[in-house]
Amino acid sequence: MLDLLNLIGGEYREAQNGTWLDNIDPATGQIFARIPRSGKDDVAAAYTAAESAFPLWSRTSIEKRAACLRNLAHIVSQNAEALAQAESQDNGKPLSLARAVDIPRAEKNLAFFAGAIEQFPSEAHIPAGPTHINYTHRKPIGVVGCISPWNLPLYLFTWKIAPALAAGNCVIAKPSEITPVTAWMLSQWIEEAGFPPGVFNVLHGLGPEVGQAIVEHPGIKAISFTGGTSTGAHIARTTASMFKKLSLELGGKNPAIIFSDCDFDAALATTVRSSFANQGQICLCSSRILIEDSIYDRFRDALIEKVKRMIPGDPLDEQTKMGAVVSAAHRDKIIQHIELAKSEGGQLLCGGGKASAPNNRCEDGFFVAPTVFENLGANCQLNQQEVFGPVITLQRFYSEDEAIQLANATEYGLAATIWTTDLKKAHRTAARVESGIAWVNCWLVRDLRTPFGGVKASGVGREGGWEALRFFTEPQNVCIEL
Ligand code: NAD
């Protein structure tokens, strides 16, 4: 049994209340680790450590801060295999996916923001015939909170902490209680990477307890949060009267729009991936597949043939493309969505419930068969509510206008995928789709310099590149008489 600990002021500590939470391997259903069930007192201790580290860290040269991040990136790359194994065990995702995506991207996040802070410009405004000159001084904010979810554990954890630290803030970070292991591993390399004690603190525990205490702490001036829309709304309400800076990356119900003039094979292959990668547990996954009438039947039949061959396997098996979903509770929630869709008259094309265990080791694991429905109206629950699992719907459209109307017919607006070979149509559709990201003839291609985030109920603010560094700094206008 592995006991994880909090990192506070450079020391590894249990929760002050001495209590623990079990951590379960979703592929086997077995407990394999415990995490501290931290609370308010631990947040207070982390805040004291972070606050006292801030004066020095905020004045530390950009080169030194960048070097610490690069050192950490290097340590991550040296431990990539151990991290990938841990991520797979903790989350249920295929080991091959953790190796190919999660861990390389975590390393890239750290290295990227090391480079970004070295290039981060601030503005100057010089009027003609100048009497005054203005420049913008971007100062670190102070102590900031970074709260991340379970679906891409180290990937999203590093995506937040890297810009926060690069910009000169001290961080109190909370990984998801469901997938805490890789954040714990990272916390053990902080000193080796060169970060002074207190600059980076990690607290483990439940969202409504330690997460809530971070959000409520009056000294923590900014919260970068990724997670569910209802949690984001709760955080916005909690912090409103404290005027905290908030970045909220929330849920999605993403459309993939398949026009009849698309490259059929490319659209098909990528839509299968965009729907079911990580068991459908990526906020950017397509969950509503909108298909133009003239190719609807052909596309549906080809898609179902491919999906039927996607059989969930043991995540540790190198061949596995689809693993376990993250927890028993999440599996049950996904099944409830499926049952509701059946009761709403959805036509089940494949899947539709639990998948059988791939082997004896996994007989108590949490596996769901990839599931496809059609004949559900745009207002049905399954076309409105985020499932965050391997469940998609197919809808037919007859015109470009109708495709856009269907694409926009939810409260969410995170990512859209558009498939067409008509360049003008691609531009028109991307412009009219209500989403923070529109991918044309591709999916999940990420240039870390680009703004990342959602509109409507998918979030507030943007991460990535300068957007993240702007979020984690406070701009001050300095005006000088010449
Ligand atoms: P969640 O909202 O339940 O939890 C996210 C994090 O918030 C966890 O660390 C949790 O402990 C913490 N938390 C929960 N309650 C809290 C509270 N009251 N105060 C402070 N922190 C609290 O979400 P989840 O189930 O972990 O993740 C799945 C959700 O995340 C999905 O809705 C998915 O779409 C979303 N997501 C969004 C993005 C994005 O970039 N937009 C990326 C990944 C996941």
Side-chain angles (χ1 to χ4, degrees), residues 319-361:
Q319 304 308 318
T320 293
K321 297 274 180 289
M322 187 153 196
V325 300
V326 78
S327 66
H330 192 55
R331 176 200 57 200
D332 295 346
K333 192 188 119 194
I334 295 168
I335 304 286
Q336 273 175 21
H337 280 285
I338 292 173
E339 293 307 320
L340 183 61
K342 288 179 190 166
S343 73
E344 283 188 310
Q347 172 86 28
L348 183 65
L349 299 176
C350 66
K354 289 182 193 176
S356 47
N359 55 26
N360 288 346
R361 188 183 93 85

Side-chain angles (χ1 to χ4, degrees), residues 185-313:
M185 292 168 77
L186 194 80
S187 74
Q188 291 175 291
W189 301 320
I190 289 303
E191 191 183 339
E192 184 186 342
F195 291 96
V199 168
F200 178 61
N201 306 276
V202 183
L203 298 178
H204 294 279
L206 297 172
E209 296 176 4
V210 67
Q212 180 76 19
I214 291 171
V215 167
E216 281 177 351
H217 195 291
I220 299 176
K221 305 255 176 38
I223 303 286
S224 173
F225 169 82
T226 298
T229 292
S230 59
T231 315
H234 173 77
I235 290 173
R237 281 193 298 273
T238 307
T239 55
S241 63
M242 289 184 270
F243 310 111
K244 293 194 185 202
K245 253 185 139 173
L246 279 190
S247 169
L248 302 174
E249 301 296 335
L250 310 176
K253 191 76 206 174
N254 306 310
I257 306 174
I258 321 283
F259 286 108
S260 58
D261 59 9
C262 68
D263 175 336
F264 189 93
D265 292 341
L268 180 65
T270 303
T271 301
V272 170
R273 201 164 59 84
S274 72
S275 302
F276 298 110
N278 205 37
Q279 299 72 250
Q281 301 167 136
I282 301 179
C283 54
L284 305 163
C285 274
S286 317
S287 53
R288 295 178 299 135
I289 316 303
L290 315 178
I291 308 163
E292 192 158 6
D293 174 59
S294 58
I295 60 162
Y296 183 93
D297 290 355
R298 184 173 155 231
F299 194 89
R300 172 197 60 199
D301 295 349
L303 182 109
I304 296 304
E305 200 189 308
K306 280 190 184 292
V307 177
K308 277 186 174 158
R309 280 189 265 137
M310 297 178 68
I311 296 163

Side-chain angles (χ1 to χ4, degrees), residues 147-151 156 174-178 205-208 211-212 215 225-229 231 234-235 249-252 283 386 388 414 452 458 463:
I147 302 176
S148 54
W150 50 257
N151 64 321
L156 291 174
K174 193 200 97 59
S176 170
E177 59 274 32
I178 302 171
L206 297 172
Q212 180 76 19
V215 167
F225 169 82
T226 298
T229 292
T231 315
H234 173 77
I235 290 173
E249 301 296 335
L250 310 176
C283 54
E386 183 185 44
F388 215 52
L414 189 52
F452 178 91
S458 290
E463 297 183 322

Side-chain angles (χ1 to χ4, degrees), residues 17-28:
N17 60 26
T19 57
W20 298 86
L21 295 162
D22 290 336
N23 189 36
I24 294 171
D25 176 346
T28 63

